[in-house]
Amino acid sequence: MGQFGMGQSVRRSEDQRFITGHGRYTDDINLPHQAYAYVLRSPHASARITRIDVSAALAAPGVIGVLTGKDLEADGIGPIPCTAPITSIDGSPGKYPPHPALVTDRVRHVGDQVALIVASSATEARDAAELVEVDYDMLPAIADTGSALDDGKPLVWDDIPNNLCFDWQMGDKPATEAGFAKAKRVAKIDLINNRIIVASMEPRNALGHYDQGEDRYTLYTSSQGSHTLRKLLSGAVLNVPEAKIRVVTPDVGGGFGMKLFLYPEQVLVLWASKKLGMPIKWSGERGEAFLSDTHGRDHVTHAEVAMDEDGKFLAWRFETTANLGAYLSNYGPFIPTAAGSGMLAGVYATPALYVRVKGVFTHTTPVDAYRGAGRPEAAYVVERLVDKAARELGIAPEELRRRNFIRPEQMPFRTAGGLTYDSGDFAKNMEDALKNIDQAGLPARKAEAARRGKLRGLGIACYIEQCGGGSDEMAELRFDPSGGITLLIGSQSSGQGHQTAYAQIVADGLGIPFEQVRVVQGDTDTVSFGRGTGGSRSLPVGGAATSLAVNKVIERGRKIAAHQLEAAEADIEFKDGTFTIAGTDRKLDIIAVVKSAFMGKVPPGMEGGFDETARWTPPAGTFPNGTHAVEVEIDPETGVTDILRYVVVDDFGNVVNPMLLEGQVHGGVGQGIGQAMLEGVVYDAESGQLVTGSFMDYAMPRATHLPDIEFSYNVVPCKTNLLGLKGAGEAGAIGAPPAFINALVDALSPLGIAHVDMPATPLSLWQAIQSARTAKAAE
């Protein structure tokens, strides 16, 4: 293993340009003669459009065009597709209404796209938007998830009764009912998984160019997968072959799932470029992001667990209402159903499980994947329910988990959720976390805090997730005559450090200098194939494909080296970048072999050059897992919570770069704590207006909210992954919310408080404490 090989903590090579201001993001790209677009958005959550008058806007300085939904419709531009079909319990398909890039006669959420103004400058386009006259006939709105299905509530779509998109189920209902029938104890919990605004550092943006001479579109945009966008655009939206579209994604300043999807603005700049005959650039503002970026989470759940007399789990039962927003985003229905429901079995050997999910429309921004995409929601429900069950049984939360863990010797283990876990030692993760956070000393620390008038608590959460699976990925290794090497890969970095991690795999396998490897992503004209980045699959799938390509390079090099050294191929060994005749000192390094290949010095029948391509399809997903342990202290007079210690023990299988891995965990924990402690989208119940429409009202976590995160890991190699890897990008956000809320409940339990919902803000905690004190005083 070299200095920069597999398993080494290599600093991110891409950071040199990022921290010196030399990153190249979509907003840095400008084309000759480009114009600028501004999207006029609805100020109402629900209304009919009775008139749009664009004449004053068209006459404004610098304005090139003002386009409406009727223009879009007349040009045959199709709606944005939802590619996640869901079938209801009765066998009927889910309701999939159209999602136009510009509406024609009805708006369905604040921020809905009404018109596109194109001008010579962004300022002129924005100013002209104020001159567009739109007459709205206001209609009642529904924004609340829990009541969207109730009779008499306003309908988002007139032809979809009770706002029900689908009524879906999973699991063995008869076996689950049997488990509950013989249960000695049943624990229940009702909880909310709060809606989240993604708030990536780089807002969304798009630059579209239609080349009339080539009859070809080019889209520059911040995304998580150029090939995915190209495929979505080429179908029913633009109605052209994929070869007629080029999508380029340069550096990306954060995605977190939200930048996976095709958005109206990406469609509009391409369409407007063709219609108006010039490149069109749209740069999203932060306020627009709050209204138009897909949101995350937003579930209301009732959960139950059946137990025998010893606290062994017999069955799980879950019922969730999932808010999908006013329109279906590309994968929206998939997230609360198949994406996460299998993980509702958790890390426990429970024989039966039944899940029912109802997806509902509301007059709100569409909801789709957000870091973890269904798995954080599942882990939160399971780990809160386990903690509540333990408290009702009068045993320690960790003891109830010990009694129900799937044991290593049971692997591979098929869960009641229909998934097969290949590896893991869940008990060890928990025991290590409890030791690291000094659970034994907790009683003394609680007593000391009480003397100061504070409430102290410790919470744990044992999570597992499925990721790093799905479809195939392709890696292409290209050498140039000088020996330089380029890896072309169809995943997309949005801050994870792909350039470094992929280069480590190549450098380690080929024994070449780390700095010599160039990684290219994001351009559909350069990278021929790709699935994008989502579900923590870049290294587990893309890395495996890269490793296969490396092996093919070595085998090609072995043949050429044998020819050059006049030896039998079977006698050629490869190690540390050098081909050697076994038992001799005769050798050629790989760069010399590459150069000779370009000079045509290859075996008869072999073509010159030195490129290799490989694809890898994962046979199954990977199952990263771990335990988060959090110690908190609450000031009952203010509701302010301090996180005193945060310990994580994870199992990600084999590790490519421990430093990158730890950074991924730190970032995920920050986002998970943000959701649990501070973040929460609020809509006005009457009007559907977004109350938390800026950072003045929507609280984001800051460095002061988090302590140092004490991270360690246990290596249990994945048995279904070529490199033994398990996905890691989303894990921190999965374990953090339940661990934090469990810690709060532990601190608040002496007051009789059994549950608090996210976000557990100082105000909500203070109100819960006051209510508990009032109730005790009345006893």
Side-chain angles (χ1 to χ4, degrees), residues 388-468:
K388 192 167 187 290
R391 295 187 184 281
E392 291 179 2
L393 292 173
I395 62 177
E398 63 273 15
E399 176 56 28
L400 185 58
R401 289 175 169 86
R402 289 188 188 104
R403 295 181 189 181
N404 288 283
F405 276 143
I406 300 165
R407 301 184 305 277
E409 62 268 23
Q410 293 177 282
M411 300 291 182
F413 185 90
R414 185 167 177 82
T415 73
L419 300 173
T420 299
Y421 299 166
D422 67 282
S423 59
D425 191 338
F426 311 136
K428 178 171 175 53
N429 293 336
M430 185 185 74
E431 301 302 344
D432 286 354
L434 291 173
K435 179 182 178 181
N436 292 350
I437 206 166
D438 187 21
Q439 185 199 34
L442 180 65
R445 298 195 297 274
K446 280 191 171 186
E448 187 277 330
R451 288 193 291 271
R452 294 184 286 108
K454 304 294 178 67
L455 302 169
R456 189 178 287 230
L458 174 65
I460 62 171
C462 300
Y463 80 91
I464 188 167
E465 62 153 328
Q466 181 187 29
C467 64

Side-chain angles (χ1 to χ4, degrees), residues 136-267:
Y136 294 99
D137 181 8
M138 298 280 292
L139 296 171
I142 175 68
D144 177 58
T145 306
S147 61
L149 292 168
D150 293 352
D151 291 335
K153 292 295 182 180
L155 297 180
V156 179
W157 298 90
D158 294 339
D159 57 346
I160 300 179
N162 295 98
N163 297 308
L164 180 65
C165 178
F166 59 78
D167 184 358
W168 178 87
Q169 68 176 356
M170 188 201 79
D172 190 333
K173 188 174 183 180
T176 300
E177 297 301 327
F180 275 87
K182 65 181 181 181
K184 298 300 181 182
R185 295 291 298 270
V186 174
K188 305 177 181 181
I189 195 167
D190 292 288
L191 48 79
I192 293 171
N193 207 298
N194 45 318
R195 180 182 279 236
I196 297 298
I197 285 170
V198 178
S200 59
M201 185 178 293
E202 177 203 21
R204 287 191 301 109
N205 39 57
L207 171 58
H209 178 218
Y210 174 74
D211 186 326
Q212 188 173 2
E214 296 287 338
D215 184 27
R216 195 162 188 255
Y217 296 92
T218 298
L219 173 67
Y220 300 88
T221 192
S222 181
S223 83
Q224 290 177 232
S226 298
H227 295 83
T228 301
L229 293 185
R230 183 179 67 173
K231 185 174 183 179
L232 291 169
L233 283 164
S234 71
V237 179
L238 296 179
N239 297 294
V240 297
E242 284 190 54
K244 291 289 186 180
I245 304 172
R246 177 191 182 196
V247 180
V248 181
T249 295
D251 290 326
V252 179
F256 312 115
M258 179 270 291
K259 289 181 181 173
L260 275 167
F261 321 120
L262 179 64
Y263 285 91
E265 298 85 2
Q266 293 161 330
V267 175

Side-chain angles (χ1 to χ4, degrees), residues 288-431:
E288 287 183 284
F290 275 69
L291 297 174
S292 64
D293 293 359
T294 56
H295 293 176
R297 319 295 191 228
D298 204 344
H299 294 179
V300 175
T301 298
H302 174 77
E304 302 178 359
V305 60
M307 298 168 282
D308 67 13
E309 60 275 6
D310 297 320
K312 286 288 190 72
F313 300 154
L314 303 174
W316 304 99
R317 189 159 55 197
F318 304 95
E319 293 185 7
T320 290
T321 301
N323 196 338
L324 304 170
Y327 303 99
L328 298 179
S329 181
N330 296 159
Y331 312 116
F334 173 71
I335 306 307
T337 54
S341 292
M343 307 315 305
L344 286 165
V347 292
Y348 308 108
T350 312
L353 173 151
Y354 177 72
V355 184
R356 185 173 182 180
V357 180
K358 295 180 180 180
V360 299
F361 292 105
T362 62
H363 290 106
T364 63
T365 300
V367 178
D368 210 315
Y370 171 62
R371 198 169 191 169
R375 288 98 74 200
E377 295 91 318
Y380 181 64
V381 174
V382 170
E383 290 302 288
R384 280 296 299 123
L385 181 56
V386 170
D387 249 45
K388 192 167 187 290
R391 295 187 184 281
E392 291 179 2
L393 292 173
I395 62 177
E398 63 273 15
E399 176 56 28
L400 185 58
R401 289 175 169 86
R402 289 188 188 104
R403 295 181 189 181
N404 288 283
F405 276 143
I406 300 165
R407 301 184 305 277
E409 62 268 23
Q410 293 177 282
M411 300 291 182
F413 185 90
R414 185 167 177 82
T415 73
L419 300 173
T420 299
Y421 299 166
D422 67 282
S423 59
D425 191 338
F426 311 136
K428 178 171 175 53
N429 293 336
M430 185 185 74
E431 301 302 344

Side-chain angles (χ1 to χ4, degrees), residues 552-574:
K552 291 176 75 172
V553 163
I554 293 170
E555 291 310 305
R556 181 178 180 83
R558 193 189 311 276
K559 291 179 172 63
I560 298 171
H563 177 72
Q564 291 287 309
L565 294 170
E566 300 180 331
E569 185 182 332
D571 293 335
I572 301 296
E573 297 177 342
F574 180 78

